[in-house]
Amino acid sequence: MKKIDLLCVIDDDPIYTFLIKRIIDEAEVSLKSIFFKNGREALNYFTEHKDNSEKLPQLVLVDINMPILDGWQFMDGFATLATSFRNNIAVYISSSSTDEDDFQRASETPHVLELIPKPISSERLRELVVKLES
Amino acid sequence: MKPTPAPGASIAECGMACKTIHKHQQQSGLSDQVFTFFSELFNTNDWPPRWYCGTWSDFHGWLYIASDFLTWAAYFLIPVLLVRMIIKRKDFPFPKIAWLFVAFIVLCGTTHFIDAIIFWWPLYRLSALIRFLTAVVSMVTVYALHKILPSVLQLRSVKELEHEIRERRLVEEKLAASEFLLSEAGHVGRVGGWEFDNISNRFEWSKTAYEILESEAGQIDEMDDTVSLFIEPHREIMKQSLTNAYEQGIGWDLELQMITFKNQKKWVRYYGKPLFDQNGKLIKIRGVLMDIDKYKINELDLSKSVDTMARQNNQLKNFTHILSHNLRNHANNISLLSNFMDETTLDNNNSEIFQKIRTVSGGLNSTLDDLSSILKIRDGYLPSENLSFKEVTKKTLKVLEVALNASDATVDMHFEFDTILFPSVYLESIIMNLMSNGIKYKQTDIPLHVTLKTYLNEDQTKIFEYSDNGIGIDLDLHGEKIFGLYKTFHAHKDAHGVGLFLIKNQIESQGGKIEVISKPNQGTTFKITFNEKN
C-alpha cells in the first residue's frame, strides 16, 4: 500500500487526537499528519496554502462538534476554497453522532464523501487510503 | 169570486163574445202613444177586468190568481233571505250579482202580483212597465253573470277548501314540530339567530341569541352596537367585516371574544350574511350567533399545552442527542485508550482492575448503543414495505440457527395471511427479539417449542402471535413493566431489558400494539396487533 504524504485531522478533543495519532501510526497510512483543534484553525491553514499542493493533505477527517467553527461551517469555507485546489482532497466527517439528521446532512454536503462514526479503526483508515489510490 | 158588474155600469168586454172594435186599433203618433201610456198608467178604463175578458170558470180563474199570489209571496221572501245573507256574511262571494238577483226576483214577483190583480183592476200599462223593468234587470243579470262566470268557475269548492285546510293543518303541525326542534336544538347547541333590517333599522334576535348575549330585547338597536360588544383586537376585525359586508357584500364567519351585557367574557362564533334586492341595495343582514366559550377555552388550553409539550419534547430530544453524543465521545475514548494499554507491564492487582475497567467500558458502549437505537425509533421515520412473514421468519431463524439447535427447539408456523405492510428492519427485530427471548428463557428440562401464527381478528385486523413453552413471566408481579427499559425479571446472565422495550416502541411507532399473556412455568404468548396504514 502506498502511503499518502499528508493526513489532516480536525478535532477539538485532545484525548481523541492523542488516540487518532496512535491509530494513524498503527495503520501506517501517512508520512506526515497535521492536527487542528477547530474549523477556524484548519480553514486558516487551507486558505494560506490553497495554491501550494505540497502543503495540502490528501485525506481530511473532520469532527462535527467543535468550538469557534464546527465541522459544517468548516465545510462551507472549504467549498469556497475548493476551486483553488490543484489536487483532489478527500474529506470524511468523523463523529460519534448517531443522529440520522447528521448522516443525512453529510450525504448532502458537497465535498464530503461520507460520515464515518467514531472511533475510526486502523483497518478503516487503511481502506480509506486504498480508496484514494483508485 | 167573479165580481158581478153593477147594473148599468159600462165595462169593456172582450173574449170570443166581444165584437166591439177596440181602441188599440186606432193608430196615432209614437210620442202620443208614449205620452198616453205614462199619463194613463193607472187608468183601468180601457180594458175590462180579466174576469170579463174571455170566459173564465171560477176554478180556472182562482187557480191562476192563487198561483200568482203564492209565486209573488215566494218571490218577495227569497230576496229578504238573500239580503239577510249578504248583510250578515261579509265574505259572501260576488255580492253585486246577489243584489241584481234580489232586484230581478222582486221584479218577477211583482209581475205575478200584477197579473193576479188584473182580474179586478186591468192595470195593463203598469204591467207592461214592470215587465219592461224586469226584462232590463234580467238582461243586466245575464250579462253580469256571464262576466263573472270564469271567476265563479275558479272558485274552489267547499270540498277543495276542506282538503286544503287539512293539508295546511298538516303542514302547520310539521312546521310547529320543526320549529320546536330548531329552537330546542338552538337552545341546547347554544346557537341563536338574528336579522337586521337595513331599511327599518331594526334588529331581531332569537331567544337563544338573547341568552348568549345575556341581554333583553331593545338593548341592541344599531348594527354598529354589535361591534362594540367585542373586545380588541376582535372589535377591529368585526368593524372591518362590517365594512366589507356593506361595501362589498361579503359575509363573515368569525370566532370572536365578546363582553356580554352581564360583563362576562365569552367566545362566540358570529356569522353574518348580507342580503340585497334586485337593485343591489342592501336590505337585510342575517346571521347566527353561537356560544363556543366552553369549546374555545378547551381548544386554547389544549393548543397551549400541545405547544408546551412540543417545546419540551424538542428540548428533551436535543438534550438526549447532546448527552448521548458527548457520552459516546468519552466512552469511545475510554475503550480506545484501554486498547492501547500494554497490559504486560501491569502487576496482578492493576491488571485485574484494568480488566474491570474494560468491562465497564464495554457496558457503557452497549448501553449507548441501546439508547441510540431507541432514539432512532422515536424520531426516525422508516418506510413500510410489503413483507412476507414466511421469508422474514426464515431469515431470522437462520441467524439463530446455532442457538435454536442448542435448545433442541422446534418452531411451528401457521400463517393465515402472509403479507404485511411494515418496515422490514422492525419486523426482523420483532421476530428476532421474541425468538431470542424464547431461547434465553426456555425451561431447562424440556425442549423449546415455539408457535408463530398470523390471523385476522373479528375486526379484520392483522394479528401476529408468538407463543412458547418457556419459563414464563409472573404478570401479577410485573405486569406491563415487562415492556419497560432495563426491566429484567429473570436472574439470567443475558437478561438485558432492552429487547421488549425496543419492539414495543417499534410496533407503536407504526400505530400497532403488543400484549402479553403469561404465567410462570406455562410459557409466554405475545400478541401483536398491526395497524396497516392506507
Side-chain angles (χ1 to χ4, degrees):
Chain A
M1 192 190 78
K2 199 181 154 216
K3 281 192 186 181
I4 56 168
D5 296 323
L6 189 58
L7 194 156
C8 167
V9 176
I10 310 167
D11 202 307
D12 63 318
D13 182 352
I15 298 183
Y16 184 73
T17 310
F18 164 80
L19 286 164
I20 193 85
K21 269 181 193 163
R22 293 278 192 111
I23 292 166
I24 293 166
D25 289 346
E26 198 179 277
E28 298 181 315
V29 287
S30 171
L31 296 172
K32 220 183 136 198
S33 311
I34 43 170
F35 299 88
F36 299 104
K37 284 203 266 303
N38 60 59
R40 170 50 58 209
E41 277 187 15
L43 214 51
N44 287 345
Y45 178 87
F46 277 85
T47 311
E48 193 184 328
H49 300 291
K50 63 182 179 193
D51 303 317
N52 188 356
S53 52
E54 279 173 29
K55 294 269 187 181
L56 290 176
Q58 286 82 55
L59 180 66
V60 178
L61 301 176
V62 57
D63 186 24
I64 297 175
N65 292 316
M66 289 180 293
I68 311 173
L69 284 191
D70 68 13
W72 305 120
Q73 288 167 316
F74 167 76
M75 284 318 299
D76 290 341
F78 184 89
T80 60
L81 292 175
T83 46
S84 316
F85 301 149
R86 254 167 279 160
N87 291 336
N88 204 24
I89 302 175
V91 182
Y92 290 91
I93 303 260
S94 180
S95 167
S96 34
S97 169
T98 52
D99 196 333
E100 282 295 339
D101 292 347
D102 286 338
F103 281 88
Q104 185 65 27
R105 189 166 172 187
S107 73
E108 287 164 1
T109 306
H111 307 290
V112 171
L113 294 172
E114 209 182 318
L115 191 154
I116 297 170
K118 269 187 189 173
I120 191 163
S121 63
S122 52
E123 290 77 26
R124 191 72 211 273
L125 201 53
R126 279 164 171 273
E127 282 170 28
L128 296 184
V129 172
V130 171
K131 223 190 219 172
L132 277 184
E133 289 169 2
S134 57
Chain B
M1 212 24 172
K2 193 174 173 176
T4 317
S10 94
I11 48 164
E13 284 200 36
C14 60
M16 289 300 283
C18 182
K19 301 283 188 239
T20 328
I21 292 163
H22 291 289
K23 276 184 184 166
H24 72 261
Q25 285 173 332
Q26 291 174 351
Q27 292 301 316
S28 57
L30 183 63
S31 56
D32 282 349
Q33 286 179 38
V34 173
F35 178 76
T36 316
F37 178 84
F38 283 105
S39 56
E40 304 287 322
L41 198 59
F42 296 99
N43 189 343
T44 58
N45 291 336
D46 293 334
W47 304 274
R50 191 173 272 160
W51 278 119
Y52 304 107
C53 188
T55 316
W56 294 86
S57 69
D58 276 355
F59 172 74
H60 184 184
W62 284 111
L63 181 65
Y64 199 115
I65 293 161
S67 303
D68 267 348
F69 273 130
L70 283 175
T71 309
W72 166 73
Y75 279 19
F76 264 76
L77 288 173
I78 289 170
V80 169
L81 295 176
L82 261 179
V83 167
R84 277 189 65 185
M85 258 196 270
I86 298 166
I87 291 172
K88 291 264 173 185
R89 288 294 299 254
K90 300 285 179 209
D91 59 343
F92 196 86
F94 310 108
K96 280 180 191 156
I97 272 282
W99 282 114
L100 274 175
F101 268 97
V102 167
F104 153 72
I105 296 168
V106 166
L107 286 166
C108 280
T110 311
T111 62
H112 283 280
F113 177 74
I114 291 175
D115 231 20
I117 63 168
I118 276 177
F119 273 82
W120 291 275
W121 298 284
L123 293 159
Y124 281 105
R125 288 196 188 89
L126 185 64
S127 175
L129 184 64
I130 299 292
R131 275 162 201 274
F132 173 70
L133 286 176
T134 308
V136 170
V137 172
S138 301
M139 287 316 288
V140 171
T141 310
V142 167
Y143 174 74
L145 210 52
H146 166 75
K147 280 288 264 198
I148 62 158
L149 196 64
S151 325
V152 173
L153 291 177
Q154 276 193 346
L155 270 187
R156 273 159 305 177
S157 71
V158 173
K159 221 175 192 172
E160 280 174 326
L161 285 173
E162 278 174 352
H163 180 72
E164 196 178 311
I165 289 167
R166 229 177 7 253
E167 297 264 291
R168 283 196 185 184
R169 194 176 297 139
L170 280 176
V171 171
E172 264 170 30
E173 277 168 14
K174 274 186 196 161
L175 203 66
S178 71
E179 202 175 284
F180 171 77
L181 279 181
L182 203 65
S183 70
E184 276 302 286
H187 181 71
V188 175
R190 310 285 291 151
V191 184
W194 60 269
E195 184 178 285
F196 175 71
D197 190 322
N198 198 39
I199 292 153
S200 65
N201 237 18
R202 279 171 62 93
F203 249 120
E204 291 279 348
W205 297 83
S206 78
K207 207 168 138 248
T208 312
Y210 280 127
E211 280 171 24
I212 295 168
L213 296 168
E214 295 185 309
S215 81
E216 283 153 25
Q219 281 185 286
I220 308 167
D221 301 323
E222 299 269 328
M223 202 65 223
D224 290 338
D225 288 352
T226 57
V227 175
S228 54
L229 289 172
F230 300 102
I231 57 174
E232 289 298 356
H234 298 155
R235 185 178 294 186
E236 199 50 46
I237 294 169
M238 196 53 233
K239 216 182 212 168
Q240 191 55 49
S241 302
L242 209 57
T243 311
N244 289 346
Y246 272 99
E247 288 174 5
Q248 296 164 50
I250 302 169
W252 68 86
D253 187 355
L254 300 164
E255 290 184 355
L256 307 167
Q257 204 173 20
M258 70 183 310
I259 303 272
T260 70
F261 284 85
K262 289 192 179 157
N263 266 327
Q264 299 289 319
K265 266 193 189 180
K266 192 181 261 183
W267 277 97
V268 291
R269 180 173 169 188
Y270 190 35
Y271 169 84
K273 192 181 171 189
L275 255 87
F276 297 87
D277 65 6
Q278 300 102 313
N279 306 323
K281 185 172 149 54
L282 192 142
I283 44 172
K284 272 175 184 173
I285 306 178
R286 281 190 194 138
V288 170
L289 184 73
M290 190 174 173
D291 184 348
I292 55 165
D293 201 53
K294 217 163 67 183
Y295 310 102
K296 192 70 189 179
I297 284 171
N298 277 346
E299 185 192 309
L300 291 175
D301 282 353
L302 211 62
S303 83
K304 208 189 273 170
S305 53
V306 165
D307 281 352
T308 313
M309 264 175 40
R311 210 171 42 243
Q312 284 174 348
N313 195 32
N314 221 19
Q315 283 170 354
L316 216 57
K317 213 167 107 180
N318 283 335
F319 177 73
T320 45
H321 277 300
I322 291 162
L323 201 65
S324 79
H325 175 263
N326 290 355
L327 279 176
R328 190 172 286 277
N329 260 345
H330 299 308
N332 281 339
N333 286 346
I334 292 171
S335 102
L336 273 178
L337 282 171
S338 54
N339 284 348
F340 285 109
M341 184 86 166
D342 185 356
E343 281 181 68
T344 54
T345 61
L346 295 173
D347 61 29
N348 277 352
N349 180 38
N350 282 336
S351 177
E352 200 188 335
I353 292 170
F354 184 69
Q355 286 304 324
K356 299 254 186 280
I357 290 175
R358 261 204 182 154
T359 313
V360 170
S361 160
L364 191 58
N365 271 320
S366 75
T367 301
L368 286 169
D369 284 341
D370 292 343
L371 271 178
S372 79
S373 52
I374 290 157
L375 284 175
K376 266 183 203 157
I377 301 166
R378 285 282 167 95
D379 39 274
Y381 168 74
L382 275 182
S384 292
E385 306 161 45
N386 260 317
L387 304 172
S388 155
F389 269 101
K390 250 178 234 158
E391 278 169 31
V392 176
T393 308
K394 222 189 271 172
K395 197 172 151 191
T396 314
L397 293 183
K398 193 138 201 143
V399 176
L400 293 170
E401 207 172 5
V402 179
L404 286 167
N405 287 341
S407 331
D408 256 341
T410 46
V411 181
D412 285 340
M413 286 179 258
H414 303 289
F415 295 146
E416 279 181 29
F417 67 88
D418 190 45
T419 55
I420 182 79
L421 195 65
F422 207 72
S424 69
V425 184
Y426 288 178
L427 191 63
E428 282 168 27
S429 149
I430 290 163
I431 298 175
M432 177 71 90
N433 271 294
L434 292 176
M435 287 302 300
S436 50
N437 265 355
I439 295 165
K440 253 187 256 173
Y441 306 124
K442 75 178 279 292
Q443 302 208 40
T444 43
D445 45 346
I446 51 169
L448 174 65
H449 182 246
V450 174
T451 310
L452 302 175
K453 278 197 282 190
T454 64
Y455 59 90
L456 296 174
N457 72 357
E458 58 274 16
D459 302 330
Q460 299 301 300
T461 311
K462 289 181 177 178
I463 308 282
F464 171 65
E465 209 175 274
Y466 159 96
S467 44
D468 65 26
N469 61 344
I471 55 177
I473 306 160
D474 188 347
L475 288 177
D476 291 338
L477 205 61
H478 302 300
E480 280 293 303
K481 263 199 314 189
I482 67 157
F483 294 111
L485 186 59
Y486 295 122
K487 303 285 182 206
T488 53
F489 308 100
H490 306 97
H492 191 283
K493 64 178 168 62
D494 292 332
H496 252 343
V498 178
L500 289 179
F501 178 77
L502 207 67
I503 66 172
K504 184 179 162 72
N505 273 282
Q506 288 168 339
I507 292 161
E508 287 176 353
S509 78
Q510 303 299 309
K513 61 173 183 178
I514 181 164
E515 293 156 285
V516 59
I517 306 153
S518 184
K519 269 190 184 146
N521 298 319
Q522 288 178 30
T524 308
T525 297
F526 287 100
K527 189 169 137 186
I528 295 156
T529 310
F530 290 97
N531 177 18
E532 272 184 304
K533 287 152 198 168
N534 70 60

